[in-house]
Amino acid sequence: MSTFLFKIFIKDYENTRNPMVREKYGTLAGYVGIVSNMLLCTVKVIIGFLTNSIAIVADGINNLTDASSSLITLIGFKLAAKPEDEGHPFGHARIEYLTGLLISAIIIILGFQLLKTSFNKALHPETSQFSYITIIVLIVAIGIKIWQSRFYMAAGKKIDSVTLSATGADSRNDVISTSAVLLSVLINKVTGYQLDGIMGCLVAAFILWSGIKLIGETSSPLLGEAPPPELVNEILAGAESHEGVIGTHDLMVHSYGPGRTFASIHIEVDAERDIMESHDMIDNIERELSQQLNIHLTVHMDPVKLNDPLTEQLRSVLDKAIEPLEGVYGIHDLRLVSGPTHTNIIFDAVCSSTCKMKESEIQAIINKKIKEINPSYYVSITFDKTYAKP
């Protein structure tokens, strides 16, 4: 059903890397949510007042909040699709993350309100009137919410959207809350026990937990989370597949929102090779990977002097020195700067983000090994972080 709607309302729906297609997914999800949730809200509130059930009324108000969230989603995707301007040279795509964060906050507020109302109802239970029409409405509502959740999750997965994933989780919460209301109505009918307030408290606790979890998930991209391993591997593999590339390092990936990924990487080339040939190769790598991966890639060229006996000796010593150091993965940009009294051994050391050793400890160990070769050698290390073990 979800795929059918995508095909009907979204032109070129499979081209999800296109910002215009992405916007249409968000627009469709927003309209679907507004219409279906307003319908559910109206029916539930009427039934709740007729049967004197606070749980059903609260569930209906929850749907009104969902309609508001859908409106926020709709506006958020519209704003996120705005092109770059003077004040925002990388575009406005991060607004989508803010939209997801706002929806998560709304879920938490709703949970607190529902907890307060349900707690009062649990302390002062009131007799609710049983009606078969109530059962039918709740069952239909559960079915609609199950479809909604699957629809949002499918759309969110298609375009990798934290906002739609948060909205899908909210719809899943509604399935649980409405099921709890239905269960309390049936228990009251069979046993006479008033569980309306207690069920409301349990549902509110689950909604609060879900909202807090979603806050973490939707705020993570804003804090600067690590890029997907698949993207990292594709960039490295694509760069290293070109003949003439000796090695790669210093890969940095920054996201300014969905479809707005910027990356930079250093590529080592033979210093003896014609500079124009190397530069042409670098240009080709930038253009090909930018188009294939829908990113903005910048490549820095590092000339490497090959077949130098002293450099190769030092590299061998350094590789053996860092081998037992947990979290230190390798070195690059090794060069020697000689002076009248001493020689500086300059290079970068690649460390994982989970490396337990202090930089000063690593420097002391390596410096000791180098001075065993020549006491006039001094080590100068720049420490780099890596996303994953090479």
Side-chain angles (χ1 to χ4, degrees), residues 36-37 39-41 43-44 56 59-60 63 66 133-149 171 174-179 181-182:
S36 57
N37 285 313
L39 178 63
L40 287 174
C41 170
V43 174
K44 286 183 182 178
I56 297 178
D59 208 33
N63 292 137
D66 294 338
I133 190 65
T134 301
I135 302 298
I136 295 173
V137 168
L138 292 178
I139 291 175
V140 171
I142 291 170
I144 293 175
K145 278 298 177 179
I146 289 174
W147 176 81
Q148 264 190 10
S149 179
S171 295
D174 293 339
V175 172
I176 296 173
S177 63
T178 305
S179 298
V181 172
L182 176 61

Side-chain angles (χ1 to χ4, degrees), residues 141-345:
I142 291 170
I144 293 175
K145 278 298 177 179
I146 289 174
W147 176 81
Q148 264 190 10
S149 179
R150 292 172 63 89
F151 172 78
Y152 287 135
M153 290 295 188
K157 185 176 181 181
K158 274 278 188 182
I159 62 174
D160 191 25
S161 169
V162 293
T163 299
L164 293 184
S165 296
T167 307
D170 189 25
S171 295
R172 179 204 60 203
N173 293 346
D174 293 339
V175 172
I176 296 173
S177 63
T178 305
S179 298
V181 172
L182 176 61
L183 182 60
S184 68
V185 170
L186 293 175
I187 291 176
N188 177 250
K189 172 64 176 176
V190 175
T191 67
Y193 289 114
Q194 295 289 339
L195 299 179
D196 200 29
I198 295 174
M199 285 294 186
C201 288
L202 293 175
V203 170
F206 176 79
I207 290 175
L208 285 171
W209 172 81
S210 177
I212 293 171
K213 182 180 178 182
L214 284 172
I215 285 284
E217 293 176 357
T218 54
S219 62
S220 183
L222 291 171
L223 296 176
E225 63 183 359
E230 297 81 8
L231 177 60
V232 172
N233 292 334
E234 284 179 319
I235 294 174
L236 294 176
E240 293 172 359
S241 66
H242 285 254
E243 185 179 356
V245 173
I246 298 173
T248 59
H249 56 266
D250 284 351
L251 172 62
M252 300 292 292
V253 182
H254 301 280
S255 173
Y256 289 89
R260 287 284 181 173
T261 300
F262 293 77
S264 63
I265 189 172
H266 288 216
I267 291 181
E268 298 173 348
V269 299
D270 188 351
E272 302 299 324
R273 183 181 181 182
D274 182 88
I275 188 67
M276 297 306 294
E277 290 183 5
S278 295
H279 190 271
D280 184 63
M281 177 186 67
I282 294 300
D283 283 345
N284 289 334
I285 293 173
E286 280 186 339
R287 182 172 54 256
E288 290 174 12
L289 291 182
S290 293
Q291 292 175 351
Q292 291 173 9
L293 304 178
N294 193 34
I295 62 176
H296 301 270
L297 178 66
T298 300
V299 177
H300 174 80
M301 183 172 64
D302 279 341
V304 177
K305 190 175 182 180
L306 301 176
N307 304 317
D308 178 64
L310 181 55
T311 301
E312 293 303 313
Q313 179 193 8
L314 289 172
R315 181 178 293 277
S316 177
V317 171
L318 289 169
D319 287 341
K320 290 179 181 178
I322 67 171
E323 186 176 356
L325 305 182
E326 186 176 354
V328 184
Y329 292 151
I331 66 167
H332 58 81
D333 282 349
L334 174 62
R335 59 194 186 277
L336 285 66
V337 180
S338 300
T341 60
H342 67 279
T343 297
N344 288 327
I345 312 299

